[in-house]
Amino acid sequence: MALLFLNGGGMRGGPLHHQLQGAEPVRVARSAPKYRYFSVGNRFPAMHEVGEGGHSVVGELYDVPLETLLHHLLPAEPAELELGVIELEDGTACLATVLRKSYGGADQLIDISEVGDWRKWSATQGNPQ
């Protein structure tokens, strides 16, 4: 089992939620305030650690079997994301998908750090999740 922070389409009601294979959320959570949060081409969100000057991101924390990560969640993730370790606001470390370090499409990134919530951002774009 692994703690996994979801902040986009994998959350309840999202288009990728079924990839959790029935895993229940542990709780609603926020990341530590040390990330930039982007909309990638207005298709999905991505976190990127910056430390100082970062923001908190809203999401859901799940306890997920590693087999579910391997066979369902990770294969469904966009190529622009990779698995990483993040910190929650309470200091807990957990897995999350983050912007791939080698991502070269800066022109596709819309900074939504001030909003910090994919559902709220999507609703402002006419794309409710």
Side-chain angles (χ1 to χ4, degrees), residues 2 73 90:
L73 287 167
D90 66 3

Side-chain angles (χ1 to χ4, degrees), residues 9-109:
M11 292 189 295
R12 288 175 285 186
L16 298 176
H17 186 72
H18 68 281
Q19 300 293 351
L20 288 168
Q21 302 295 297
E24 294 292 325
V26 174
R27 61 183 165 98
V28 172
R30 295 185 74 87
S31 73
K34 58 188 206 177
Y35 300 92
R36 298 303 296 264
Y37 195 46
F38 299 101
S39 170
V40 182
N42 215 20
R43 296 177 292 133
F44 55 87
M47 295 173 66
H48 175 71
E49 186 171 350
V50 295
E52 293 281 324
H55 296 268
S56 183
V57 174
V58 173
E60 296 173 350
L61 190 63
Y62 289 81
D63 198 12
V64 179
L66 290 175
E67 293 79 11
T68 300
L69 270 174
L70 177 65
H71 298 297
H72 299 281
L73 287 167
L74 293 179
E77 290 294 338
E80 296 90 341
L81 301 178
E82 63 187 4
L83 195 61
V85 177
I86 67 152
E87 181 181 348
L88 299 181
E89 69 180 349
D90 66 3
T92 301
C94 63
L95 297 174
T97 53
V98 297
L99 188 64
R100 189 172 292 280
K101 288 180 178 67
S102 63
Y103 181 67
D107 60 325
Q108 292 291 306
L109 299 179

